[in-house]
Amino acid sequence: MEDERCFGWTNYQTWAVARWIDGDTTRARYWCEETRKNVEAAPRSAAVIRGVTPVTEAAKYYTSEQLREEITEGAPDVFCEIYSELLDEALGVVNWDEIADHLMRRVRQLDSCFNLVTARRGPRSPVDSA
């Protein structure tokens, strides 16, 4: 079986979804914020509290599931059976975990950049926060 990787992603379908997310500022911002919420919520998950799952894996799972659910549910209704089957098949082979990892790395990079800029500026004065 030949290597089906596409531009470093698992397959074409995964690359296409990731590119669709990254290609629109509003959409990319939305998914970064949702990923950040999942990262913040992960330590409170039952699996993490029981010690079954590491925090990063729980955050990736929640982000991956949210991606899969929102994107597949948001797919347009296709009334022609062949097109519907093709769309379902394409979305079915997307590596949602890989996209979740990508988003988690992006959030960490954005947070690091924000922290670096904040540290260089020094503490904010009361005038800055008004």
Side-chain angles (χ1 to χ4, degrees):
M1 184 172 179
E2 65 185 70
D3 186 8
E4 295 180 17
R5 293 191 68 81
C6 182
F7 299 106
W9 294 89
T10 299
N11 54 35
Y12 173 80
Q13 295 83 348
T14 303
W15 169 77
V17 171
R19 186 182 66 157
W20 177 74
I21 291 169
D22 289 345
D24 179 78
T25 305
T26 302
R27 193 176 301 123
R29 187 176 298 129
Y30 169 78
W31 281 109
C32 282
E33 285 305 313
E34 292 302 302
T35 300
R36 184 174 281 113
K37 289 177 191 174
N38 289 328
V39 168
E40 291 170 357
R44 297 184 302 275
S45 74
V48 171
I49 291 169
R50 287 193 319 267
V52 176
T53 305
V55 173
T56 54
E57 286 301 309
K60 179 172 79 171
Y61 171 79
Y62 293 136
T63 302
S64 175
E65 284 300 299
Q66 184 179 359
L67 281 161
R68 185 186 57 74
E69 287 174 16
E70 287 189 29
I71 292 173
T72 56
E73 288 175 10
D77 289 329
V78 181
F79 297 106
C80 183
E81 188 176 329
I82 184 68
Y83 296 120
S84 177
E85 288 178 15
L86 289 169
L87 181 57
D88 289 346
E89 176 66 25
L91 290 173
V93 297
V94 170
N95 186 335
W96 302 107
D97 286 348
E98 186 175 15
I99 298 171
D101 271 335
H102 168 72
L103 289 167
M104 289 173 65
R105 279 192 308 275
R106 173 176 285 162
V107 166
R108 281 193 298 272
Q109 289 170 345
L110 291 172
D111 289 348
S112 294
C113 289
F114 175 76
N115 292 336
L116 181 62
V117 168
T118 303
R120 286 185 179 163
R121 278 193 205 145
R124 297 186 73 172
S125 71
V127 175
D128 290 338
S129 44

